[in-house]
Every structure is written in C-alpha cells, then in structure tokens.
Amino acid sequence: MYPISRSSARLNLRELEIEDVDAVFAIYGSPEATEHLSFEARTREQVRQIVARSIAAVSETPRTEYALAVTERDSDELIGFGRLALDPHQQRGATIGFALRPNVWGAGYGAETVRLLLGVGFEDLGLHRIWGARSPLNEASARTMTAVGMVEEGTIREHVLKAGKWRDSVVHAILDREWRAGGP
Ligand SMILES: CC(C)(COP(=O)(O)OP(=O)(O)OC[C@H]1O[C@@H](n2cnc3c(N)ncnc32)[C@H](O)[C@@H]1OP(=O)(O)O)[C@@H](O)C(=O)NCCC(=O)NCCS
C-alpha cells in the first residue's frame, strides 16, 4: 500500500522523503535515542542509506517495509521515525519500531506515534498481530507499548548482539480484535 498517510491530534504519519535525512539523523545519530535500540548511533551516511533504502522499498511487490516519518502537525517538523515490517514467516503479522527525537520525549508523542502505527497495521494493512521487541532496560518503551494496549508476552533470550554482547528482548504484542475493542 502506498502512500501511507494518517493523522492524530498532534501528529502526522507520512512516507519518508530523501530531504528527511538530517531530521532522521537527529534521532538515529543520537546516543541517547539509540541507547536501548538494537544498534548503536548511526553516522549521517548510514542514515542516508537507510532513508534511501526505505524509499526504494515502497515499490516492492508485495510491500513489506513501512518506514514512516512522524511529523508535528503544528510545525510540520519531523520528530520521529516509525516502522512496520511485515513478517514473511507469519501470516498477517508485523514487527513495530519507533523512536522520537529526545527533546520531544515526555509529552505523550510516543503513545500517539504507536497508535498511529497500529492504525496503519490493523486498519490499512489488515494485519492480525503486531509485536515489538524492547531491551529489558527500556522502561519508556515498556510503558509506551503498555499504554496503547500491547501485552507483555515474554522474553526472547539473547536476541540482539550489540557492542559485542548478547542482549535479551522483551516482547509486547497486540491482536486485531484487541485493537478494535480499544485494548486487551
Ligand atoms: C520510547 C519513546 C518513543 C517514548 O516516547 P515519549 O513521547 O516520551 O512517550 P510518552 O510521553 O507517550 O509516554 C508513554 C508512557 O511512557 C512513560 N515514559 C516515558 N518516558 C519514560 C521514561 N524515561 N521512564 C519511564 N517511563 C517513561 C510515560 O510516563 C507514559 O507512561 P504512562 O502512560 O503509564 O503514563 C521515547 O522514549 C524514545 O524515542 N526512546 C528512544 C527509542 C526507543 O527506545 N524506542 C522504542 C524501541 S522498542
């Protein structure tokens, strides 16, 4: 499906553009924003490649990658990055990822972003199950996913190799019927 476009009270979700590289770098290049992610802070060139790959992936058939810009409706500024990746080994399932620029944290944008992404997954793409994997130390992510009705399901042991060390992931997920009912 292309293009994705959704709005909430304060945010828009839209397709990425190549002009977004610097704004995405402000997130993916930040040690603070990537502290609990599965990768270390990226260079600007790595971010440029990610954005370019994400743009190229929109025309794949079927489309499995939905890397989206989160923008503030008031300022039209890109303040976050959201991603749904359809799982080729699971029917109508996808993983979710999201990150916001640190200077906007704590204002409810995280939960608003995840709701927008779940709306895309369940309402636009007709998915059955959406899940996210977080670091056990990522309390902000745990609270954000819980706030939107994603249930903590368990731990994947030594799921992520980061800085030469294996790290567990905690899985949170939500089903289509739970989304339609407004939460589990
Ligand atoms: C996770 C993230 C998106 C949350 O964004 P945010 O805009 O600050 O979140 P919200 O303001 O919507 O808050 C959502 C919930 O998380 C809680 N929360 C936010 N930051 C927190 C923190 N540092 N510690 C504990 N709880 C926190 C809020 O209190 C709220 O909980 P509540 O609904 O129980 O009150 C943001 O911290 C971020 O971008 N982190 C870096 C990337 C990342 O870790 N992404 C998740 C990958 S799995």
Side-chain angles (χ1 to χ4, degrees), residues 80-160:
F81 184 89
R83 176 170 178 251
L84 276 170
L86 270 60
D87 186 344
H89 305 295
Q90 189 202 339
Q91 288 121 319
R92 289 167 55 205
T95 54
I96 198 175
F98 48 94
L100 303 180
R101 206 175 59 207
N103 70 334
V104 303
W105 292 357
Y109 281 175
E112 212 168 307
T113 295
V114 178
R115 281 196 192 92
L116 282 168
L117 289 167
L118 296 179
V120 171
F122 291 125
E123 294 161 24
D124 296 340
L125 307 180
L127 298 178
H128 173 61
R129 174 186 154 82
I130 298 177
W131 63 283
R134 64 164 173 93
S135 152
L137 299 178
N138 196 344
E139 196 55 36
S141 174
R143 297 268 299 267
T144 301
M145 290 194 278
T146 301
V148 303
M150 296 178 77
V151 178
E152 189 176 311
E153 293 187 330
T155 299
I156 308 176
R157 295 180 305 149
E158 301 195 4
H159 182 216
V160 166

Side-chain angles (χ1 to χ4, degrees), residues 2 15-20 49-60 63 67:
Y2 178 88
E15 299 287 351
L16 279 174
E17 296 160 6
I18 202 67
E19 293 74 22
D20 292 328
Q49 288 177 21
I50 291 167
V51 172
R53 269 203 309 272
S54 303
I55 293 169
V58 304
S59 47
E60 279 168 20
R63 182 175 181 186

Side-chain angles (χ1 to χ4, degrees), residues 171-182:
V171 171
H172 293 244
I174 181 168
L175 305 175
D176 51 359
R177 62 174 177 277
E178 294 167 342
W179 171 254
R180 282 195 304 273

